[in-house]
């Protein structure tokens, strides 16, 4: 009885082979859509991570620019020259002018 049933199902499937092929194509297409949607979600998440990293680097860059401006400020450099390096402004009598040929 089972062989007869299996044979009947096989003959029926073979008789409607175009419908079976069409069903397999629809199933494959559905799986492709699911895969593409998941890949799109992953890429969007990665894009958002990169945007966040760019923003963090931009903030860090701005802080570094502020730090550079602070360290290069004229009053700070002059104060360090007088205190740390014992430098002073020369008197006009001590100034020498060097002329290039």
């Amino acid at each position: 009885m089972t062989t007869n049933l299996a044979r009947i199902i096989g003959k029926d499937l073979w008789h409607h082979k175009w419908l079976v092929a069409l069903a397999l194509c629809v199933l494959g297409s559905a799986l492709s859509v699911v895969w593409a949607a998941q890949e799109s979600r992953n890429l969007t998440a990665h894009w958002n991570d990169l945007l966040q990293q760019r923003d963090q680097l931009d903030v860090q860059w701005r802080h570094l620019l502020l730090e550079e401006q602070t360290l290069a400020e004229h009053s700070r450099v002059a104060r360090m020259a007088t205190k740390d390096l014992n430098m002073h402004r020369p008197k006009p009598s001590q100034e020498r002018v060097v002329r290039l040929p």
Side-chain angles (χ1 to χ4, degrees):
M1 176 88 178
T2 358
T3 56
N4 288 339
L5 181 62
R7 186 178 301 151
I8 292 172
I9 291 173
K11 283 182 183 181
D12 192 40
L13 287 176
W14 182 253
H15 181 65
H16 299 291
K17 58 187 166 218
W18 294 109
L19 289 176
V20 172
L22 183 62
L24 290 175
C25 288
V26 168
L27 183 62
S29 176
L31 290 175
S32 297
V33 168
V34 169
W35 178 82
Q38 181 62 32
E39 191 65 23
S40 175
R41 285 187 195 106
N42 289 341
L43 289 174
T44 302
H46 184 63
W47 174 257
N48 288 334
D49 291 342
L50 289 174
L51 287 177
Q52 185 177 9
Q53 183 181 5
R54 182 198 65 183
D55 292 342
Q56 289 174 351
L57 289 173
D58 189 45
V59 168
Q60 184 180 4
W61 172 252
R62 290 176 193 272
H63 285 149
L64 288 173
L65 283 177
L66 285 172
E67 183 179 353
E68 180 185 32
Q69 290 172 356
T70 302
L71 292 175
E73 193 173 278
H74 179 70
S75 61
R76 180 181 179 276
V77 172
R79 186 178 64 247
M80 286 182 67
T82 54
K83 275 189 169 183
D84 298 341
L85 301 175
N86 294 324
M87 297 176 81
H88 60 280
R89 192 164 212 47
K91 296 177 185 170
S93 62
Q94 295 173 329
E95 290 180 7
R96 300 282 183 246
V97 177
V98 177
R99 296 190 191 265
L100 296 175

